[in-house]
Amino acid sequence: MSEDTRFGLGRTVTLPGPLRLDGGGSLAPVEIAYETYGTLAPDASNAILVCHALTGDQHVASEHPRTGKPGWWTRMVGPGKPIDTDRFCVICTNVLGSCMGSSGPASRNPATGTPYAMAFPVITIRDMVRAQAMLLDHLGIERLFAIVGGSMGGMQALSWTATYPDRVAAAVVIASTARHSAQNIAFHEVGRQAIMADPDWRDGNYYAADTTPSAGLAVARMAAHITYLSEAGLTEKFGRKLQGREAKTFGFDADFQVESYLRYQGLSFTDRFDANSYLYITRAMDYFDLAEEHGGMLANAFRSSRARFCVVSFDTDWLYPTAESRAVVRALNAAAAPASFVELSSPFGHDAFLLENAELARLVDGFLRAGDGK
Amino acid sequence: MSEDTRFGLGRTVTLPGPLRLDGGGSLAPVEIAYETYGTLAPDASNAILVCHALTGDQHVASEHPRTGKPGWWTRMVGPGKPIDTDRFCVICTNVLGSCMGSSGPASRNPATGTPYAMAFPVITIRDMVRAQAMLLDHLGIERLFAIVGGSMGGMQALSWTATYPDRVAAAVVIASTARHSAQNIAFHEVGRQAIMADPDWRDGNYYAADTTPSAGLAVARMAAHITYLSEAGLTEKFGRKLQGREAKTFGFDADFQVESYLRYQGLSFTDRFDANSYLYITRAMDYFDLAEEHGGMLANAFRSSRARFCVVSFDTDWLYPTAESRAVVRALNAAAAPASFVELSSPFGHDAFLLENAELARLVDGFLRAGDGK
């Protein structure tokens, strides 16, 4: 077991493994990149695990080393914030399969000495969760005060309560779902096909090449980005406004602001994300079906859980609409798990969980304080 | 002026033009491929123009020459059908910019003797309509008994009533909109970027090459296809069902039926459609904003119209939702144009207008009979 601080990637720990995987194989060694904020209590009772979304990272409340941007949830995590680092020790790990320091397709395959590429095993949300549990074991944290996540982070939170029912005291599940729908899978498949159609993908073996499948990855990101925003939000933000010009060009440049915005989102993404990781993580999300893992009945996933739940959806989120959260809450009720549910109003669609939202902040703050006795 | 019957492409007429274009230029000559069904009355009073959608063609009620499939709207057009070819002479033209015989980027550029490719002028929905009007002039049809179209066909129908207010007696506008929204533009932009990212696109100059940008075009089609279906429809049709296997493969094959379906939709599309045409027609749709063409007020578009209108939307259509149809109807009301509006229920989303729908059939039949006196 070794631990080091890599420049710009925060802390990384290499655990010997093996990590047993849902796909049948195992992974060893297991690298886990993570950040911590705040101080762990001597009895390790104040740990909160924050789980990131598809393209997120461990830098939840500190600067991203590659982009120089602030942490992705500084609104929620920090001193005096709802997830208060003056009281809690907040841990955020880069998920298995990703590209910010944790084991993924870009990692060195010990069998060959070169990057795994597509020889990396296909993983699941539960595999990500098992890797996180290995890290908590390493850090001496037996039980989480809380686990909090939005989008894919919420899937991890749900999977945690089902996989380690004794290790989670509270779970906050925001803008998430207990299973990927046909439409969710469809959008991810478009993204994967865009990447795989890029000749620079080279069946995944581009790490030593001069070029990466950035064009395909940009298209994948553009398609996904539409699903993160609401139709009304796009209309309010962009409508049919033209980009820095007075009239249409009658050409194929980005005439409309929304085109320019999407192209920027696509291009800037390729600077910070690995195309193969995008394939693996979208696959893990598509495979996610918590009910299926528990005999086809979602309530069964929660029968052993000792956690309190706070489930939050946004009214304009069409990626994981409120109906998905309601299905989770119905299952929690059926399993007699303590659960509160709120649908918040926001014009911003799925992205709302990452944006300023006073109600969300109050809600999470209150829910955590209820477990804190404060 | 010449007229010929090309094998498999129905009738094509070459009109001398020039066709004045919204982009400022003009096009000459203008080829228009079209089909007719039924017999034109001696006074030419029984002509109905049916307008096709983005990837449609003139073969509304007869076999597609390339795919061998039945016409795309045989449910609605034919002897004894709502658009009854025993009573009406139905005309359907391949839109300008397309690839089934009408002038488009694959057509021969008289200036060079080679295909236009990206030298083809960027066109608008109104340009398509002007080309159709040229054909009607050629056929000796002064006034349409009715114009009927779904999706982009509905945009043409709306544009007809605004551009040639004296030449349309009735208009049926189904699952359509008077302007493309930011989200509509965003999805089209993803498709265009997918095509342009394909190295086989070669800046549009692939007509003499061994390969075409089929991978990019397939991705574009896959993304668009999701918008044609409802979330509930996808869930009902596919859910999370696996494709011909009992368990997940933990790989990147099409495990889920919805993936397999989308891949098939993408691939089969590339056999019948030209990638550059896809760029041009999506651009025309994105540019469509009937209000903008009339001083920013949609009602102004209809003030001179002498047509009766029948506007139909589907409750699960999220591409052109009912709100868009309501906006059209409000403008028609403000312009004192006779208009009826119905929102039909269907689980099939935008695609509903192409599918069996007894209510739609009754509605169109009744609307046309009201003008017929029968």
Side-chain angles (χ1 to χ4, degrees), chain A:
Chain A
M1 189 180 326
S2 68
E3 185 151 2
D4 67 319
T5 303
R6 300 191 184 179
F7 174 73
L9 286 178
R11 274 186 280 190
T12 302
V13 58
T14 304
L15 303 172
L19 177 68
R20 186 174 69 77
L21 301 172
D22 277 335
S26 65
L27 189 71
V30 181
E31 291 190 288
I32 303 173
Y34 66 103
E35 284 286 353
T36 64
Y37 309 86
T39 307
L40 191 63
D43 63 355
S45 63
N46 68 334
I48 294 183
L49 183 64
V50 173
C51 302
H52 69 71
L54 167 53
T55 67
D57 53 63
Q58 64 271 38
H59 307 287
V60 57
S62 48
E63 190 178 276
H64 189 291
R66 284 192 206 152
T67 65
K69 288 189 180 167
W72 55 268
W73 226 17
T74 51
R75 288 182 175 87
M76 291 290 285
V77 180
K81 300 290 173 70
I83 302 173
D84 186 351
T85 53
D86 289 339
R87 293 185 287 143
F88 300 114
C89 176
V90 173
I91 301 149
C92 186
T93 81
N94 186 222
V95 296
L96 196 69
S98 187
C99 50
M100 289 298 292
S102 290
S103 292
S107 302
R108 182 180 165 279
N109 181 350
T112 62
T114 57
Y116 280 101
M118 302 308 283
F120 193 77
V122 167
I123 51 161
T124 65
I125 298 290
R126 186 158 56 181
D127 292 333
M128 296 176 184
V129 162
R130 289 194 188 104
Q132 288 163 342
M134 281 177 63
L135 175 71
L136 295 198
D137 293 343
H138 167 71
L139 297 176
I141 299 167
E142 172 50 30
R143 189 157 191 255
L144 289 168
F145 182 88
I147 184 159
V148 184
S151 195
M152 188 183 81
M155 298 180 198
Q156 293 163 66
L158 289 171
S159 183
W160 255 97
T161 66
T163 310
Y164 303 107
D166 295 328
R167 297 188 72 171
V168 184
V172 182
V173 179
I174 308 169
S176 192
T177 180
R179 62 129 177 75
H180 243 213
S181 71
Q183 192 184 69
N184 295 151
I185 296 169
F187 274 112
H188 274 175
E189 175 65 1
V190 168
R192 286 190 295 264
Q193 290 296 314
I195 290 168
M196 292 175 160
D198 188 331
D200 288 334
W201 181 59
R202 298 178 180 87
D203 294 321
N205 298 306
Y206 53 79
Y207 294 109
D210 292 338
T211 53
T212 62
S214 54
L217 182 59
V219 169
R221 176 65 168 174
M222 287 172 67
H225 211 84
I226 301 175
T227 69
Y228 303 153
L229 308 169
S230 70
E231 198 276 337
L234 274 171
T235 296
E236 190 183 309
K237 192 167 180 179
F238 302 110
R240 296 181 48 84
K241 287 196 285 271
L242 300 176
Q243 175 67 22
R245 47 181 63 110
E246 306 238 316
K248 303 183 188 101
T249 62
F250 288 88
F252 291 94
D253 286 344
D255 267 8
F256 295 103
Q257 285 184 11
V258 67
E259 295 176 299
S260 177
Y261 171 79
L262 275 185
R263 288 187 190 185
Y264 173 79
Q265 293 293 333
L267 282 176
S268 63
F269 182 59
T270 64
D271 291 337
R272 70 176 176 91
F273 214 80
D274 178 50
N276 284 342
S277 279
Y278 197 84
L279 299 179
Y280 276 86
I281 302 177
T282 56
R283 200 51 162 166
M285 295 171 78
D286 290 350
Y287 274 3
F288 186 60
D289 183 350
L290 195 54
E292 187 194 69
E293 292 173 6
H294 295 85
M297 190 173 289
L298 187 55
N300 289 346
F302 307 121
R303 296 218 190 272
S304 307
S305 167
R306 296 172 55 204
R308 300 180 298 127
F309 288 81
C310 173
V311 179
V312 183
S313 70
F314 292 96
D315 57 355
T316 57
D317 182 353
W318 62 278
L319 186 66
Y320 305 133
T322 290
E324 301 294 339
S325 287
R326 283 193 204 281
V328 170
V329 172
R330 270 198 305 273
L332 289 168
N333 290 343
S340 67
F341 166 60
V342 182
E343 182 190 56
L344 296 180
S345 191
S346 162
F348 300 116
H350 184 65
D351 257 0
F353 83 95
L354 291 168
L355 303 174
E356 184 68 42
N357 190 308
E359 278 188 281
L360 179 66
R362 268 199 303 274
L363 206 65
V364 172
D365 182 66
F367 180 77
L368 294 177
R369 282 182 195 278
D372 211 9
K374 283 168 196 160

Side-chain angles (χ1 to χ4, degrees), chain B residues 49-349:
Chain B
L49 183 64
V50 173
C51 302
H52 69 70
L54 167 52
T55 67
D57 53 64
Q58 64 272 37
H59 306 287
V60 57
S62 48
E63 191 178 275
H64 189 291
R66 284 193 205 151
T67 65
K69 287 189 182 168
W72 54 268
W73 225 16
T74 50
R75 287 183 176 85
M76 291 290 282
V77 180
K81 300 290 174 70
I83 301 173
D84 186 351
T85 52
D86 288 338
R87 291 185 289 140
F88 300 114
C89 175
V90 173
I91 302 150
C92 186
T93 80
N94 186 221
V95 295
L96 196 69
S98 189
C99 50
M100 288 298 291
S102 291
S103 292
S107 302
R108 182 178 165 279
N109 180 350
T112 63
T114 59
Y116 279 103
M118 302 308 282
F120 193 76
V122 168
I123 52 159
T124 64
I125 298 291
R126 186 159 55 183
D127 293 334
M128 295 175 184
V129 162
R130 289 193 189 105
Q132 288 163 340
M134 280 176 64
L135 175 69
L136 295 198
D137 291 343
H138 167 71
L139 298 176
I141 299 167
E142 172 52 31
R143 189 155 192 254
L144 289 167
F145 182 87
I147 184 161
V148 183
S151 195
M152 188 183 80
M155 299 179 199
Q156 293 162 64
L158 289 171
S159 183
W160 255 97
T161 65
T163 309
Y164 302 106
D166 295 327
R167 298 188 71 171
V168 184
V172 182
V173 179
I174 308 169
S176 192
T177 179
R179 62 126 177 76
H180 243 212
S181 72
Q183 191 183 68
N184 295 151
I185 296 169
F187 275 111
H188 275 175
E189 175 65 3
V190 167
R192 286 190 294 263
Q193 291 295 312
I195 291 167
M196 291 175 162
D198 188 331
D200 288 334
W201 181 59
R202 298 179 179 87
D203 295 320
N205 298 306
Y206 53 79
Y207 294 110
D210 292 338
T211 52
T212 61
S214 54
L217 181 60
V219 169
R221 176 64 168 176
M222 288 172 68
H225 211 83
I226 301 175
T227 69
Y228 303 152
L229 308 169
S230 71
E231 198 275 337
L234 275 171
T235 296
E236 190 183 310
K237 191 167 181 178
F238 303 111
R240 295 180 50 81
K241 287 197 287 270
L242 299 177
Q243 175 66 23
R245 47 181 63 109
E246 304 239 316
K248 302 184 189 100
T249 62
F250 288 89
F252 291 93
D253 285 344
D255 267 8
F256 295 103
Q257 284 183 11
V258 67
E259 295 177 300
S260 177
Y261 171 78
L262 275 186
R263 288 186 191 185
Y264 173 78
Q265 292 295 332
L267 282 176
S268 63
F269 183 58
T270 64
D271 290 337
R272 70 174 175 91
F273 214 79
D274 177 51
N276 284 341
S277 279
Y278 197 83
L279 299 179
Y280 276 87
I281 301 177
T282 57
R283 201 51 162 165
M285 293 172 79
D286 291 350
Y287 273 3
F288 187 60
D289 184 349
L290 195 54
E292 187 194 69
E293 293 173 5
H294 294 87
M297 189 172 291
L298 187 55
N300 289 345
F302 305 121
R303 294 216 192 275
S304 307
S305 166
R306 295 171 56 203
R308 299 179 300 125
F309 287 81
C310 173
V311 179
V312 183
S313 71
F314 292 95
D315 56 356
T316 56
D317 182 353
W318 61 279
L319 185 67
Y320 304 132
T322 291
E324 301 294 339
S325 287
R326 281 193 204 285
V328 169
V329 173
R330 270 197 306 273
L332 289 168
N333 290 342
S340 67
F341 167 60
V342 181
E343 181 190 54
L344 296 180
S345 191
S346 163
F348 301 115

